[in-house]
Amino acid sequence: DNIGESRTIGNLYLRYHSADGQWTASLYSRNVANEEYVVNRRDFSNALEGNLVIYGAPRVNGVSLTMRF
């Protein structure tokens, strides 16, 4: 993986509002395809004989419920 490579990360967000406006329910998914990609890389081969590679976040799914009083 190259840091400069072009990539597409898909996200989904679905929200439902109740008819009376008292509550909202949401579903979301970030990085839907669970794409593995490098966001940062450091070469420490001279000092530590290794590299530091930082990857982007994996797929994250969630639910949100909001109520108004």
Side-chain angles (χ1 to χ4, degrees):
D1 286 305
N2 256 338
I3 295 171
E5 284 182 3
S6 173
R7 69 180 78 78
T8 300
I9 305 297
N11 300 314
L12 296 174
Y13 192 83
L14 177 66
R15 178 180 285 171
Y16 176 80
H17 296 278
S18 66
D20 62 4
Q22 292 297 99
W23 60 272
T24 303
S26 303
L27 301 172
Y28 65 88
S29 184
R30 291 186 214 123
N31 191 4
V32 175
N34 202 26
E35 185 74 24
E36 185 177 275
Y37 58 99
V38 176
V39 294
N40 202 344
R41 177 178 287 151
R42 296 284 186 241
D43 181 5
F44 293 111
S45 58
N46 293 335
L48 303 173
E49 298 182 17
N51 294 314
L52 171 66
V53 179
I54 300 173
Y55 290 91
R59 176 176 39 233
V60 175
N61 300 311
V63 176
S64 171
L65 298 172
T66 305
M67 295 193 71
R68 292 185 170 83
F69 299 95

